[in-house]
Amino acid sequence: MTNLYDMRDRIRIAVAKALRPSPDVLAGWEGGSAAFGIVDAYSDIDLSFLVTDAASLDALYAISEEALREISPILASHNAPPGRYYKLRDAGDFLLLDLCFFRVSDSDYQLDVDRHGQAVPLFDKADWLHASDTSDPAKATARQHRYAELQGWFLVSQDFVRKELLRGRSADAMAAFWRGQLAGALCGLSRSYSQTLGP
């Protein structure tokens, strides 16, 4: 069986190597679990690339898919803006590739450290990758506000889940969990708390 950590490296290197020569591709980085330093055997690999406004995303996905097929057959893909998920035959049950392209004119490249962790650069042709300054007083205030907001929402939203569990409706409890965005609140609360504590 292919070592999943080796497979992560192969996917990352192959896609970056295939896209880097294109003049439309300005920078690339790895986010997700890698950006938070918590990669494990169940982690996806999240690759993002900054591209010109004139770039053809279809062409860039085609280049990426050709590189992926050199590693493994592609079993499935699914569009999930701003990116596309790929499942590879030889990457095991859990290693999905989330491949995103952001245009220069997009308002958010998902580089905010508080929300997305510290991006791991793949290449940067002209110093495009600027992480936000977490010491900015305005950001610190916003982080504290979000922390308090999430604490309050958690106390409210968990009641919907508990009621369905007490009714013996496990499926409805799961639906309430996602519909109430409790999962997102928990993740956001955890990240806000860790940022408050500092390293």
Side-chain angles (χ1 to χ4, degrees):
M1 180 178 177
T2 302
N3 181 291
L4 293 182
Y5 293 99
D6 289 344
M7 179 60 78
R8 289 182 67 91
D9 289 340
R10 292 178 63 194
I11 292 171
R12 179 176 57 250
I13 292 169
V15 175
K17 182 178 180 181
L19 292 172
R20 184 170 186 168
S22 170
D24 282 322
V25 181
L26 308 174
W29 64 97
E30 183 175 1
S33 300
F36 286 98
I38 54 172
V39 172
D40 61 23
Y42 303 104
S43 298
D44 297 339
I45 179 167
D46 299 83
L47 301 182
S48 296
F49 297 87
L50 181 65
V51 304
T52 64
D53 288 338
S56 166
L57 299 190
D58 287 340
L60 295 177
Y61 278 119
I63 291 171
S64 303
E65 290 170 11
E66 184 177 353
L68 290 173
R69 290 190 184 96
E70 293 294 317
I71 299 172
S72 167
I74 299 171
L75 292 181
S77 65
H78 175 70
N79 288 326
R84 183 180 295 178
Y85 280 101
Y86 290 93
K87 185 173 181 63
L88 306 184
R89 186 194 66 186
D90 300 332
D93 293 331
F94 304 110
L95 181 56
L96 299 175
L97 167 62
D98 183 7
L99 179 60
C100 296
F101 294 102
F102 297 96
R103 297 190 185 277
V104 170
S105 62
D106 289 343
S107 60
D108 182 12
Y109 305 157
Q110 297 188 358
L111 290 172
D112 185 274
V113 175
D114 292 345
R115 294 182 59 196
H116 303 289
Q118 185 65 56
V120 181
L122 302 174
F123 60 86
D124 190 352
K125 294 179 180 178
D127 198 27
W128 289 96
L129 303 181
H130 297 291
S132 62
D133 182 5
T134 58
S135 65
D136 183 339
K139 286 186 174 292
T141 299
R143 187 163 57 244
Q144 290 289 348
H145 176 75
R146 181 59 174 160
Y147 178 52
E149 183 181 69
L150 289 171
Q151 284 182 308
W153 176 236
F154 174 76
L155 291 173
V156 174
S157 61
Q158 67 177 330
D159 288 349
F160 297 107
V161 179
R162 292 176 61 201
K163 286 191 290 187
E164 296 303 336
L165 288 173
L166 291 171
R167 290 168 176 150
R169 301 173 181 171
S170 299
D172 290 336
M174 183 63 70
F177 181 79
W178 290 110
R179 186 173 62 249
Q181 298 182 340
L182 181 55
L186 287 171
C187 290
L189 185 61
S190 173
R191 291 175 184 172
S192 293
Y193 184 64
S194 66
Q195 288 291 342
T196 301
L197 290 180

